[in-house]
Amino acid sequence: MEQIEGIVEQIIYCNENNGYTVCDIRAGRRLITLVGYIPGLGIGETIFVSGTWVVHQDYGKQLKVESYERRLPKTTDAIFKYLASGVIKGIGEATAKKIVDKFGDETIHVLQFEPLKLSEIKGISTGKALRIGQAFMEQEQVRQVVMFLQSYGISANYAVKVWKKFGEQSIEEIKRNPYRLTDDDINIGFRIADRVAISIGIDLCSKFRIQSGVQYALSAAVQKGHVYLPANILIPYTARLLGVNDETAAEVLDGMIFEESIYIERSNPDRVYLSAFYKAEQYVCRKIYHVCSAEPKKKIYNLDEALKEVENEQHVTYADKQLEAIRCSASESILVVTGGPGTGKTTLIKGIISLFKKQGMKVVLAAPTGRAAKRMTEASGTEAKTIHRLLEVGYIDGDDSSRNFRKNEQDPIEADVVIIDEASMVDVLLMHALLKAIVPGTRLVFVGDVDQLPSVGPGRVLSDMIDSGVLNVVRLDQIFRQAEESSIVTNAHMINKGKYPVINTSGEDFFFINKSLPQDTAEAILELCTSRIPEKFGLDPIRDIQVLSPMKKGLAGIFNLNAALQGKLNPPRPGLAEKRYRDIVFRENDRVMHIKNNYSLSWRNGGEKESVIAGEGVFNGDMGIIQKIDVDNSFLTVSYDDGKVVEYDFDMLDQLELAYAITVHKSQGSEFPAVVIALSGVPPMLACRNLLYTAITRARQLVILVGDINILKSMVDNNFERERFTGLKEKLCNIFTNQSLPEF
């Protein structure tokens, strides 16, 4: 770890939102470039930094700052440079000169303790003097928060979040309750907050500590897909986590329930929920009941005649189950359709759209992801949006952490029919938001494959709606003749029934390559993607071939496969810009994926001028190609598969990862011409049937499985599905049976 003291000479770049800074400091005769989170830094300040040396491909040697101490300038020259840099709001170069000329070496003292004296200078009113003093104090307070948190090993980028949340009370608030650091808009994480608390001297049995432990345990459960945790699991887990006894944890839990910071069900007091998920599940259940209880606003007349017209228009004869589904969509308010590949879900959607449009009704289509919405548009011939775009995601006071949807009970979706595809991907919070924007009398049609992996987010909404037995559900189980010719489709259905797939027959779309070792699997995948598949099938190795793996780590995991595939498919070469971020090198022409929902990130349509912003919101799972990396201006541009073009500042690159290989979970809702699946070194917890089924059904033209035949067989044999604690199924059964509902 290098330690250097110097005076800030130039601020090259500063992100005001998170404090990420690139600057030059003068240390003796040396000019050193610093990079890191140093919020509010000004020219002329003295800074003492600790960090490690890194080498930038264009700018050479830089010191990456891990921690620092700042000292305000003392000489008049340094003070002038500091103020003239614009670091204090209300002071520009001209005003800085006036202040320093008036107060000289005492300038900092005046700003800090006697700001009213600034009004002695011509052009500075009493009000402006106070505002300048306030701005200076805010800079000092941010500095103090940074120093305070750094003493506990917390980086400066979190300090900005703490300051934005608590302002001048930041240090006092964190000392009072260090677990506020785990709040969603700071999100430091419980274990780090707990380390701070123990260092400060918080009692191990402190109410704050145990409350935060309970919140952490419930939040961790949500990350695993649960909507609630049983108390008999939550209490001992929290007690072990905190090193307290079960009785102490249970006592604090009871207090939290009384204060309604967490919730339990009156009929099932063993179920413990975080507030947002309790309310969401309750609302989803009640709204489904209300929508089902309402008659559709517009009726369809002469249905048999209308169906014949649709069949003639679509050049199709519907199977019995498809006809049942279309009839049900005409007469009922909610319909759930499920079925595997090749069972006619797309044909059915097109038929429903045609039927209602012929009746003059407005039909709205949506899907959970951009890729799924694009596929829905292409298949149906009618525009589909992501659910987020349909609901018009917005913010409270421009705060990205305070997301809301503009479409709700007061401003609902204007439609007679809403069709949601890939419904297995919809979690309980998204369903909650969607149903808030549905007026009873609107028809709702959910279409999805219930045998795929459940949603990444909490809940298993599609399964619960089907298993409740109270909704109209049509299961499409007939594989159509054209689909029967595909080994992908037939093998997917065999796997779903617990039968081993038929491999390496005379067919041209489903193959298995037996490799017992992960290293051999990785090497075979490289050969397939770089030469064998492109040469035999004429597919683009970057845009048309998708490698899937159940896991991230290991030789056959996505981290290793991405690095290897990038090295073969898009190696470094002159004229191809690149940017290293942590352990990843991003390069122009790389295939990438956006990995966290960002509702405020602006995008434009491909082909439009850069200044034309078409919308906001880029979502977890969106995939595209890096068009341009502008090292001089610190941003890169991604062209997404659904047509969005997005610019990322370099400090936003934690939202991207390489996507030559992705996990099966991340592939949900997507389809690719060719899929290569790594089945080597798969841990037991991931070796399950629905994961394999989901992976195979991502392919349209070609599936190649590479790995251990025994792992393939074990995945087919293992129909175990991890239990998710969710109460929607039971709530739906109770409401439809008892018809006893509190008002909204």
Side-chain angles (χ1 to χ4, degrees):
M1 186 79 70
E2 186 82 12
Q3 294 184 322
I4 294 174
E5 182 175 352
I7 298 175
V8 180
E9 278 210 354
Q10 181 184 9
I11 305 294
I12 299 169
Y13 170 79
C14 179
N15 183 309
E16 292 186 3
N17 289 326
N18 60 19
Y20 184 82
T21 302
V22 181
C23 68
D24 286 339
I25 66 170
R26 176 70 64 180
R29 294 184 178 181
R30 291 194 298 167
L31 189 66
I32 297 168
T33 300
L34 306 181
V35 295
Y37 293 94
I38 321 173
L41 190 66
I43 294 172
E45 286 190 80
T46 297
I47 185 168
F48 182 83
V49 299
S50 297
T52 55
W53 291 105
V54 295
V55 178
H56 190 280
Q57 64 172 2
D58 293 321
Y59 302 121
K61 197 174 183 182
Q62 300 174 331
L63 189 67
K64 183 179 180 182
V65 177
E66 304 292 341
S67 63
Y68 66 90
E69 293 179 21
R70 290 164 55 186
R71 298 166 189 145
L72 288 170
K74 296 179 180 178
T75 67
T76 54
D77 182 55
I79 292 170
F80 170 72
K81 287 181 179 178
Y82 173 67
L83 297 181
S85 70
V87 70
I88 306 299
K89 291 180 181 177
I91 301 180
E93 186 172 346
T95 304
K97 187 175 187 309
K98 291 179 184 179
I99 294 172
V100 174
D101 286 348
K102 172 75 173 175
F103 299 108
D105 293 349
E106 295 297 311
T107 296
I108 298 298
H109 175 85
V110 170
L111 288 169
Q112 191 165 7
F113 299 108
E114 300 177 276
L116 274 175
K117 280 189 173 183
L118 297 173
S119 62
E120 298 173 8
I121 298 171
K122 186 177 180 180
I124 299 181
S125 65
T126 299
K128 185 174 181 179
L130 290 174
R131 288 194 296 273
I132 289 172
Q134 178 64 29
F136 180 82
M137 287 306 300
E138 286 183 4
Q139 285 285 359
E140 281 302 288
Q141 288 163 356
V142 171
R143 183 200 314 266
Q144 291 168 16
V145 173
V146 170
M147 296 300 105
F148 173 73
L149 292 178
Q150 273 190 173
S151 66
Y152 297 103
I154 298 173
S155 63
N157 60 317
Y158 286 112
V160 177
K161 296 180 181 180
V162 171
W163 165 255
K164 285 182 176 179
K165 185 174 181 70
F166 300 118
E168 62 185 24
Q169 302 299 319
S170 294
I171 294 176
E172 289 75 13
E173 182 64 28
I174 299 306
K175 283 182 176 179
R176 186 185 72 83
N177 180 9
Y179 298 100
R180 296 304 304 274
L181 293 169
T182 65
D183 289 358
D184 289 342
D185 45 0
I186 300 174
N187 199 28
I188 280 181
F190 172 79
R191 295 184 187 279
I192 295 176
D194 197 40
R195 188 182 71 213
V196 174
I198 292 171
S199 299
I200 288 174
I202 294 288
D203 190 321
L204 293 181
C205 294
S206 159
K207 175 183 173 182
F208 290 142
R209 182 170 187 259
I210 297 173
Q211 285 179 336
S212 186
V214 170
Q215 296 275 358
Y216 170 78
L218 289 172
S219 296
V222 165
Q223 296 300 314
K224 295 180 179 178
H226 303 298
V227 181
Y228 70 86
L229 274 184
N232 61 2
I233 293 177
L234 175 61
I235 290 171
Y237 176 84
T238 304
R240 288 195 306 273
L241 174 72
L242 302 176
V244 300
N245 59 50
D246 288 9
E247 291 75 17
T248 302
E251 184 178 338
V252 172
L253 180 64
D254 288 341
M256 294 175 74
I257 293 167
F258 179 76
E259 295 166 1
E260 295 190 347
S261 57
I262 57 176
Y263 282 80
I264 61 168
E265 293 181 352
R266 292 181 181 176
S267 58
N268 291 285
D270 185 52
R271 297 178 177 180
V272 186
Y273 291 78
L274 290 171
S275 171
F277 299 96
Y278 175 81
K279 293 175 180 177
E281 195 172 78
Q282 291 279 77
Y283 185 95
V284 167
C285 181
R286 291 180 294 183
K287 190 61 177 281
I288 286 175
Y289 178 83
H290 279 290
V291 173
C292 278
S293 301
E295 289 287 328
K297 286 183 293 187
K298 296 181 179 179
K299 296 185 181 298
I300 290 182
Y301 300 97
N302 302 317
L303 179 58
D304 289 338
E305 184 178 325
L307 278 173
K308 288 179 182 178
E309 286 184 24
V310 170
E311 285 186 321
N312 291 334
E313 178 191 81
Q314 300 290 325
H315 305 292
V316 65
T317 300
Y318 292 115
D320 290 344
K321 287 291 184 71
Q322 289 175 315
L323 281 173
E324 179 188 345
I326 296 176
R327 289 179 179 279
C328 191
S329 72
S331 61
E332 304 296 335
S333 295
I334 293 183
L335 168 66
V336 180
V337 179
T338 185
T343 57
K345 295 192 296 295
T346 299
T347 301
L348 173 64
I349 289 173
K350 290 171 68 176
I352 292 174
I353 293 170
S354 177
L355 175 68
F356 288 117
K357 282 187 173 181
K358 284 181 177 297
Q359 300 287 322
M361 297 190 199
K362 182 178 180 180
V363 182
V364 168
L365 310 183
T369 67
R371 290 183 66 88
K374 184 182 179 185
R375 284 200 299 109
M376 195 180 189
T377 300
E378 292 169 348
S380 67
T382 301
E383 182 191 8
K385 298 180 179 180
T386 63
I387 297 174
H388 292 87
R389 286 187 66 192
L390 176 64
L391 298 178
E392 298 181 14
V393 66
Y395 311 92
I396 299 172
D397 298 327
D399 181 1
D400 188 44
S401 65
S402 302
R403 184 200 79 196
N404 67 347
F405 293 101
R406 296 188 180 97
K407 291 296 181 183
N408 51 35
E409 294 100 326
Q410 287 71 46
D411 183 17
I413 297 167
E414 295 180 4
D416 299 303
V417 186
V418 176
I419 302 175
I420 304 296
D421 198 11
E422 296 288 352
S424 64
M425 299 179 65
V426 178
D427 62 41
V428 69
L429 291 183
L430 190 55
M431 180 63 84
H432 173 231
L434 174 66
L435 290 176
K436 286 181 76 174
I438 299 296
V439 177
T442 303
R443 290 175 171 86
L444 265 175
V445 180
F446 297 99
V447 183
D449 186 346
V450 75
D451 294 315
Q452 288 185 21
L453 290 168
S455 59
V456 175
R460 50 180 187 196
V461 175
L462 182 64
S463 294
D464 282 349
M465 289 196 302
I466 292 171
D467 294 343
S468 69
V470 299
L471 300 178
N472 299 291
V473 177
V474 176
R475 295 178 182 269
L476 302 179
D477 50 16
Q478 178 182 338
I479 304 175
F480 288 91
R481 186 172 61 187
Q482 185 176 357
E484 283 182 333
E485 297 173 0
S486 165
S487 297
I488 298 172
V489 172
T490 55
N491 278 329
H493 284 275
M494 289 179 68
I495 289 168
N496 201 30
K497 295 175 182 177
K499 299 177 181 178
Y500 299 143
V502 177
I503 57 177
N504 301 340
T505 62
S506 58
E508 289 288 319
D509 63 358
F510 196 99
F511 302 93
F512 179 83
I513 298 174
N514 195 14
K515 298 289 181 183
S516 58
L517 298 177
Q519 178 64 46
D520 296 338
T521 295
E523 290 174 358
I525 288 173
L526 283 182
E527 183 183 0
L528 285 166
C529 294
T530 57
S531 58
R532 292 178 63 182
I533 295 176
E535 289 170 7
K536 181 172 182 178
F537 296 94
L539 297 175
D540 185 300
I542 294 180
R543 296 181 180 273
D544 296 335
I545 304 171
Q546 185 61 59
V547 175
L548 303 180
S549 177
M551 60 274 180
K552 294 182 177 181
K553 298 179 180 179
L555 293 173
I558 65 166
F559 294 153
N560 182 62
L561 290 171
N562 267 318
L565 286 162
Q566 183 194 45
K568 290 287 188 181
L569 296 174
N570 193 31
R573 59 181 184 270
L576 204 62
E578 61 181 46
K579 165 66 178 174
R580 175 174 286 278
Y581 183 80
R582 296 176 181 168
D583 297 329
I584 301 175
V585 174
F586 292 106
R587 191 170 294 129
E588 288 175 343
N589 301 329
D590 271 338
R591 185 82 168 148
V592 292
M593 173 183 280
H594 188 92
I595 59 171
K596 58 178 73 172
N597 289 338
N598 185 329
Y599 301 94
S600 60
L601 187 56
S602 299
W603 52 268
R604 56 187 170 83
N605 290 316
E608 296 285 346
K609 294 182 179 179
E610 293 188 13
S611 60
V612 179
I613 300 301
E616 291 183 336
V618 184
F619 303 108
N620 188 357
D622 287 351
M623 297 175 68
I625 303 290
I626 296 178
Q627 280 186 330
K628 178 183 179 182
I629 298 179
D630 188 331
V631 177
D632 292 334
N633 295 298
S634 301
F635 73 88
L636 62 77
T637 304
V638 178
S639 175
Y640 281 100
D641 294 346
D642 60 1
K644 296 193 298 281
V645 176
V646 182
E647 289 185 357
Y648 292 82
D649 290 335
F650 281 173
D651 62 302
M652 299 168 62
L653 296 185
D654 61 338
Q655 300 181 43
L656 291 175
E657 63 182 26
L658 295 177
Y660 299 96
I662 62 176
T663 63
V664 178
H665 285 83
K666 288 285 190 183
S667 73
Q668 287 176 265
S670 300
E671 270 191 0
F672 311 95
V675 166
V676 179
I677 305 169
L679 294 181
S680 188
V682 180
M685 63 184 297
L686 294 174
C688 52
R689 186 186 300 170
N690 63 351
L691 187 143
L692 179 62
Y693 173 78
T694 301
I696 288 170
T697 54
R698 299 309 88 207
R700 288 198 300 269
Q701 302 173 29
L702 176 67
V703 168
I704 301 180
L705 304 162
V706 186
D708 189 335
I709 189 67
N710 293 317
I711 289 179
L712 172 62
K713 291 180 178 179
S714 69
M715 294 179 80
V716 175
D717 292 339
N718 180 15
N719 197 30
F720 173 76
E721 186 175 342
R722 267 183 164 184
E723 181 180 11
R724 287 192 171 194
F725 295 116
T726 162
L728 182 59
K729 171 187 170 182
E730 187 175 336
K731 286 184 176 69
L732 286 170
C733 291
N734 289 338
I735 279 181
F736 277 80
T737 301
N738 301 324
Q739 299 182 358
S740 175
L741 284 174
E743 292 301 316
F744 285 111

